[in-house]
Amino acid sequence: MSIEKKEIHGSGDKWAESLQSVFDLALENQGPERTAQLLKKLADRLRASQTELPRGFNTPYVNTIPPEQQPPFPGDWQMERRIKSYIRWNAMAMVVKANSTTNVGGHISTYASAATLYEVGFNHFFRGRTENFPGDMVYFQGHAAPGIYARAFLEGRLDERHLQNFRQELAGGGGLSSYPHPYLMPEFWQFPTVSMGLGPLLSIYQARFNRYLQVRGLAKWTEEPKIWCFVGDGESDEPETLGSLTLASRENLDNLIWVVNCNLQRLDGPVRGNGKIIQELEAAFLGAGWNVIKVIWGSDWDDLLARDKSGLLLKRMEEAVDGDYQKYSVEPGSYTRRHFFGKYPELLELVNHLTDDQIRKLQRGGHDTRKVYAAYQAAFEHKDRPTVILAKTVKGYGLGEAGEGRNISHQQKKMNEKELREFRARFNIPISDDVIAETPFYRPPADSPETKYLLERRKTLGGFLPSRKVNPGSVGLDVPKPDYFAEFFKGSNTEVSTTMAFVRLISVLLRHKGLSRNIVPIIPDEARTFGLDALFKDIGIYSSKGQLYEPVDSQSLLYYNEKKDGQILEEGITEAGSMSSFIAAGTSYATHGVPMIPFYIYYSMFGPQRVGDLFWLAGDIRAKGFLLGATSGRTTLNGEGLQHQDGHSLLPASTMPTLLAYDPAFAYEIAVIIADGLRRMYAEGEDIFYYLTLYNENYPMPPMPTGVEDGILKGLYRFKSGAEISQLGSTGVSPAHTKLAGGTPALPGLKAHIFGSGPIINSALKAQEILADRYGVSADVWSATSYKLLRTDALRCKRWNMLHPNAAPKKSYVETLLAKEQGVFVAVSDYMRMVPDQIAPWVPAGLMTLGTDGFGRSDTRARLRRFFEVDAESTVIATLYALAEKGQVDRQLVEKAIKDLGVNPEKDFPQIV
Ligand SMILES: Cc1ncc(C[n+]2csc(CCOP(=O)(O)OP(=O)(O)O)c2C)c(N)n1
Ligand SMILES: [Mg+2]
């Protein structure tokens, strides 16, 4: 490498000159690396004397790859430019057309700025899926979707009707989704990205998951795929974008390449008007240990930089802020001459030979095919560290007055005829004057050189992309039959929690021949809380470096066992990262053709409340697997208080269209649900996923009553009838003869039904006894495992009935189940009342609900349950009140029970507003 001699700027002083000559000598005789070492030593000496030195996390504001190191461009760049121009046109036309007759929106300017970044990838780097290669995994910027569709149109994968129906998915014949949504276009899109920040985060965990699969011998490839993630510079403000950078460098993820499209703008205006986003990001990435490649200036600048011996051009480049650069992209060349170069007379001379128009056309690096190619090639070959390419572009490039570099660029969806003509001229699109106002799509003929070139490139690279394929072999696992879980159906007299039951169940599953290798336990630093540390020794914690130290607990049975082919993904304290691993594992059946079964267990409070958008994305991307919200329940997790006690995660879970949300009470329910989940997802291939609450209260687990499996799965079944109680009754006295405390005679035939979920079913069971013993009420206790599923089924029937008014009405499961039941219905839950309220419209004569609305408190379970009114006594009162409301008992009785059971009727209602 030759290093050019440049004077230290502003020299003339003796010291500077002598230092410079020593430096030049060292460079000549010792070479750059040794010189750098010497300089570092000297700098360390200065630092040791407490001198503040500039920190070394920025390089000059020029391209990282100097022109002399640029590889020759292997393609036909003029051909590629023509192809890119047609794609630009169609991407724009798609949005303009859609918005000429509708107001469905769409974005032109994101793709306009990123076209070269994508096209160099499509023509030279992105490898498609082949038999022994899963394909490179490309995360496209969501707002660039029109460009990706436009390319698929040129490739012949989409036709005009698709483009015509961009953002009109419900139109006749179907249309294209606004953004990358695998749920909506399951054969096209692989990775949803449009919720800013999630794509970048997922890409890091995907890259690491690929390594995990490989080291565990499950990946089927001869060459490792690359993960390419395209990121907006505005998107980099999302904490999810930069939050996990160090994981990527720590794990040496050289299979990961990010391209940040630094068009200097986001939606409202500049990303860093007063600074430089590229320099800011460079420092962040370098500090995080990434390889950083800046692509700032196009080839036209090479000559100017080479001729600038004064260093003033670089100085000016570094002085100007992004707000200035945005202005230069909007104004004519004369403005840039005056304001940028004109600041120093020497710089004006440097561009004397250029016309204003030539100055205006001085390109940014991200629009220069050769510069982008050089950066991609270097990133592709870089070893040991992930690479980020910071590419400078212009937002809305090519849109001219319609939106190039304007603050309104992001929202621009329309172009008038004049603007269309200018666009056509700039990009040389063969569309005639008489039709241009209709913005017709343009596809070169099948035998044109452009189409041939484009198809040949994709063929050489292994096929089209994006493309999502689910091979038939990647579902249809040999899942265990329900009787594999027989031990859970027997019940146990020892007191255990549902969390402990789950831990037992996963260890049983880990011994199943057909499945054990496919299981991926994921934990965000809570294994000990849940008792999962029992797995450390058996299956190990995945660590790409193995264990380089002797763990402090190496003598103990459950020592912290990190190993290269460990099975557990111990993520540390990152619910967002853990969800990303869940998603990578849960979509492995599609991305790799290898079905993996994630079990992600975490503090239920830090589920959808914390990372709900990733839950939503898991549905969109068709992830499968089990989410286990442990330490669940606002009163069951005692002591921990307001921030930890979850009484609502089931509500957001109920909003997720493909998520089955369960609130099981007993070990056998968990076994039935998980066995069926395995069957539905991994044998039948359904694209659904599961959420189960797990609690930490210990109680004896009853044996499974016969014939309840269907009810467990559908959401409700009778667990213990009142008749059983009246026969056995804790007093042994038939309720008909019971005298109420205080001598009030019981009314004959009083009937109630209490729905309980999770450990709160024990409140229902105790209330059942009190009601029988003291108030002559026979109550059946039901286990409500899923209000969400009951509600969805009921809504489906109701809607069908409405649309088929003359047909025999359908009856939902919950209606059928309860149709013949007499008496009143009460639900008691460790969740907010709104959870059971979901089924209230379908419960005969209405539903009285008890739940944990309001902030949690630190206290004992007993006091919390009284506070939230979900204990047995409160359940009794609610049942009697429901009976009183129906006129079946006297209101006096309710008042008396409140007193007898020691409940303070004036206590606060914990929900504030
Ligand atoms: C989480 C989230 N917040 C807000 C948005 C709305 N939004 C979409 S694009 C955009 C601006 C994007 O700017 P940038 O990331 O710089 O991308 P560019 O289009 O400039 O390439 C915004 C605010 C979103 N999609 N996701
Ligand atoms: Mg931007």
Side-chain angles (χ1 to χ4, degrees), residues 448-647:
S448 64
E450 289 82 9
T451 304
K452 282 189 186 153
Y453 182 92
L454 165 124
L455 293 179
E456 183 280 321
R457 292 309 309 148
R458 287 316 313 159
K459 201 170 160 207
T460 307
L461 286 161
F464 295 123
L465 209 139
S467 166
R468 183 179 177 277
K469 283 196 196 93
V470 181
N471 296 338
S474 58
V475 282
L477 276 181
D478 185 15
V479 302
K481 302 268 174 312
D483 59 7
Y484 182 78
F485 302 101
E487 69 168 275
F488 298 93
F489 304 152
K490 285 197 240 128
S492 72
N493 284 328
T494 30
E495 299 197 337
V496 293
S497 66
T498 48
T499 308
M500 289 154 85
F502 166 75
V503 172
R504 171 78 194 140
L505 187 139
I506 194 167
S507 50
V508 167
L509 267 183
L510 282 163
R511 286 201 290 275
H512 186 268
K513 271 209 185 73
L515 286 192
S516 61
R517 274 163 59 76
N518 304 63
I519 290 171
V520 186
I522 302 169
I523 316 162
D525 198 33
E526 293 283 354
R528 295 181 198 284
T529 314
F530 310 138
L532 267 176
D533 45 344
L535 300 182
F536 285 174
K537 177 166 172 290
D538 291 347
I539 54 173
I541 297 164
Y542 169 74
S543 158
S544 59
K545 299 188 170 51
Q547 195 152 35
L548 304 174
Y549 59 96
E550 187 184 328
V552 283
D553 52 0
S554 58
Q555 303 305 318
S556 87
L557 210 57
L558 306 179
Y559 73 101
Y560 199 80
N561 174 27
E562 299 195 68
K563 54 181 195 166
K564 284 193 174 167
D565 61 350
Q567 192 163 356
I568 300 171
L569 288 175
E570 161 67 85
E571 301 295 8
I573 312 167
T574 165
E575 285 76 16
S578 304
M579 269 308 286
S580 305
S581 280
F582 175 85
I583 289 164
T587 50
S588 174
Y589 71 97
T591 40
H592 290 283
V594 181
M596 300 299 286
I597 311 171
F599 285 89
Y600 167 36
I601 181 165
Y602 58 93
Y603 247 107
S604 79
M605 191 66 157
F606 306 126
Q609 165 159 300
R610 176 86 189 209
V611 289
D613 210 5
L614 283 159
F615 273 58
W616 190 252
L617 187 148
D620 184 354
I621 200 170
R622 296 173 176 258
K624 306 180 189 209
F626 297 95
L627 297 160
L628 301 133
T631 50
S632 190
R634 191 154 282 151
T635 68
T636 306
L637 175 60
N638 55 348
E640 288 285 310
L642 180 154
Q643 185 57 68
H644 287 71
Q645 292 161 346
D646 168 34

Side-chain angles (χ1 to χ4, degrees), residues 821-851:
E821 302 299 340
Q822 304 292 318
V824 295
F825 294 81
V826 177
V828 58
S829 168
D830 215 359
Y831 275 77
M832 291 178 74
R833 288 171 176 79
M834 232 191 285
V835 173
D837 277 344
Q838 289 180 91
I839 64 160
W842 298 278
V843 175
L847 183 64
M848 172 85 203
T849 50
L850 297 174

